[in-house]
Each structure stands twice: as structure tokens, then as C-alpha cells.
Amino acid sequence: MSRLLVSQLGVVCPSCDVLNAAGAVRCEACGKAWGSAAAPARKPTGATPVVSPAAPVARPPAVAASPSSAVPRSAPTPAGGVPRAGGAPRPAAPAPVPSRYILSVSAGPARGQRFRLMANGCSVGRQRGAILFPDDPFVSSHHAAFRIREGQLTVKDEDSVSGVYAAISGQEVLVPGALFSVGPHVLRYVGPLLPRSAEPGKPRAYGAPIPHAGGLWGLEEILVGLRPGRAVVTAQPALTLGSSGADLVFASDPQLAPRHCELTPVPQGALLRDLSGTLGTFVRIGQERPLKQGDRVRIGQQTLTVELAA
């Protein structure tokens, strides 16, 4: 067809009989070019290649912890291991080896559960880990890790929101800002309250005189959501906490002894002494902490006690 006629007259497509506008070089309906064969369809770019799914390979499950009543068995493996395409058969994975450590939930909603740790320990959380407490709102998704190295059990806080608390053995030194727990109560040792020095030539702020007995130091209660509760500012050489007959009293609390613990300022911070007997005084750990038989760890509302298998 003459290019001059195509440029001046409408063109009827010889393939689909559709009238196209003057000057059109291909059919608007079917896409056929004038005087040439239709261009082959272009291969779409960016398309995801279709890959046939590989046959699933059976693998034994990884086991980190299990109820102490029975250690889970790994899935059965065919003799010689699982064959791999074009290679030697894969050796069978060794069965998980249990350690001698058992974590027993001695207090809290999950009381009575017992978990036998595997040789490398396990993680604890609300959604991730071998030991799960899915209904505890104070447990983070990945809360803590129990590890066993050269036979020594340790616990580490995995940047949880509520923290990991360990029961002290007799006494422990707290630095300013440290948190500790008695029963359901969480408290912060504020540390010494140093007076602000007045600038020369300026008036001083009015207030009660500083006691002559010594410097002031403080203690405050932490409520749910890190809200501040009661605060105590004192110059006493020691402060006791408990359910009755103490300096700071939490009345009618069955989880507290009458004189549960004592806090005494020292040059390094404050010396926290447990007076509760078997109830326990817990401190929030900052670093990985070694554990032994009988030690207790509080994660959320659960208290875990370390036991040794017979």
C-alpha cells in the first residue's frame, strides 16, 4: 500500500476489517502492521521464573528443652541417612542429649511444670523459645536465654521489657538505679540525694534543713507500666521493708515476710540483705548470671527453680 495513501486516507485492516485513522502504521484493533507480518509477542520482562518444587527432605526436629518426664525423641531417619541428589547420603543427625539441669516452675500461673534442658540450654519467651509462657503479659516474645557451657548453667536477659530477676543469696550490693523485687512489688534504689550548690550571689531555694544524721538517700516503688509509686527519702543508716513492723510496710501481703529485706547505704551503693527465709528477695540482672542448684529466677509472673536430675 502506498505510504502517501496511508498518510491521507483511513485504512481498513486486511486481518480484522477495522477502519483505522489516516496515517496509522498498524491496526488499532489487532495490532497488525501494514505490509509486514505481525511482530512476534515479546517475552515479558521481570517475570518470576517458574521452578518446580523440590521434594521435601525429612529432617529430625531440633530440641532445646522438654518436660522432664520424657525427653522427646528425634524423628526416625532411614538407614544411611537422607539421600541427597547427586551426592553421598547425609549422615543421620545425632539425637539431642539432655543435660542434668531441670527448670521447675515453683510459683506463678504455670506452677508445677518442669522442663529438662538439653546440653546447650534453651530460650524462654512468649512466642520464641523452647519454653513458652504465651499467656503471661509480662513475658517478652524472646525474653531470656539459659545456656550451659562446660557444665555451668547461666541466664541472660535478652533485652526484655520486664527484665529477669534472680534471687539473692544472703546479700548483694546495688548501684544507684538498680531494681529489686519483694513479693509482687518492684522497687528502685535511687541512691544518695546530693544537695545542689547555690550560685554565688543568688538566693537559695527554701526547704527543710538537711538532717545532721548524714546524707539523704531515696527508694521508690515502680508500678505497672514503669509508673512511679510511693517514694521514701531518709537519712537513716538502714531501711527495712516488709508486711508489718518494718520501715516501709506493704500491709496484708502474704508473699512478704514481716521484715522481708533490709537496705543499707554503703560507699559502693547500697547493701541489700534478704531476711525473708524461703520467700526470697530478687534483683534485676544486667549481665549473664551463673546459676546453681536451688537458685530461683523470676521471668514475668513465673518463678523458675534450678534442679538437678538424679
Side-chain angles (χ1 to χ4, degrees):
M1 184 180 294
S2 171
R3 292 189 177 181
L4 177 61
L5 291 178
V6 171
S7 63
Q8 295 180 356
L9 302 176
V11 182
V12 176
C13 176
S15 297
C16 62
D17 294 331
V18 173
L19 179 62
N20 293 269
V25 297
R26 64 177 59 247
C27 179
E28 298 175 358
C30 67
K32 179 176 177 60
W34 317 134
S36 62
R42 298 179 59 189
K43 184 178 181 179
T45 59
T48 304
V50 179
V51 180
S52 59
V57 178
R59 296 181 180 178
V63 179
S66 63
S68 61
S69 58
V71 177
R73 300 177 181 176
S74 58
T77 305
V82 179
R84 290 182 295 177
R90 179 185 302 172
V97 179
S99 73
R100 59 175 182 160
Y101 290 105
I102 296 173
L103 295 179
S104 173
V105 184
S106 54
R111 181 177 180 180
Q113 295 188 25
R114 303 174 75 238
F115 303 92
R116 180 79 171 265
L117 300 185
M118 294 296 103
N120 60 342
C122 74
S123 295
V124 180
R126 186 150 50 97
Q127 297 174 331
R128 295 172 52 194
I131 301 178
L132 299 179
F133 300 111
D135 300 325
D136 194 330
F138 300 106
V139 174
S140 297
S141 175
H142 184 206
H143 198 107
F146 289 88
R147 295 289 178 257
I148 302 174
R149 301 183 183 90
E150 298 180 357
Q152 174 64 61
L153 176 65
T154 63
V155 63
K156 181 177 180 293
D157 184 1
E158 295 290 354
D159 297 326
S160 64
V161 174
S162 297
V164 176
Y165 289 78
I168 66 175
S169 177
Q171 61 187 28
E172 188 157 334
V173 175
L174 302 180
V175 298
L179 297 174
F180 66 98
S181 175
V182 291
H185 306 281
V186 175
L187 300 108
R188 175 187 285 122
Y189 169 61
V190 177
L193 304 179
L194 303 176
R196 295 181 180 179
S197 58
E199 297 183 19
K202 291 188 177 182
R204 300 183 67 180
Y206 183 76
I210 299 176
H212 295 289
L216 294 174
W217 58 279
L219 184 70
E220 64 176 345
E221 184 181 15
I222 305 299
L223 304 180
V224 173
L226 297 180
R227 292 175 295 179
R230 290 188 291 175
V232 176
V233 175
T234 183
Q236 294 179 208
L239 191 72
T240 56
L241 293 77
S243 60
S244 64
D247 299 313
L248 181 58
V249 174
F250 301 94
S252 303
D253 193 328
Q255 300 184 47
L256 266 67
R259 290 168 59 87
H260 196 100
C261 66
E262 181 183 66
L263 201 62
T264 304
V266 293
Q268 300 83 4
L271 186 64
L272 178 64
R273 290 200 307 135
D274 178 43
L275 308 175
S276 68
T278 59
L279 293 175
T281 299
F282 295 75
V283 295
R284 181 168 181 172
I285 66 173
Q287 299 178 345
E288 192 169 6
R289 188 181 182 100
L291 300 173
K292 63 182 184 302
Q293 183 180 12
D295 284 350
R296 288 173 290 174
V297 175
R298 184 172 293 170
I299 295 177
Q301 298 174 304
Q302 324 296 327
T303 300
L304 307 177
T305 300
V306 179
E307 301 177 359
L308 293 180

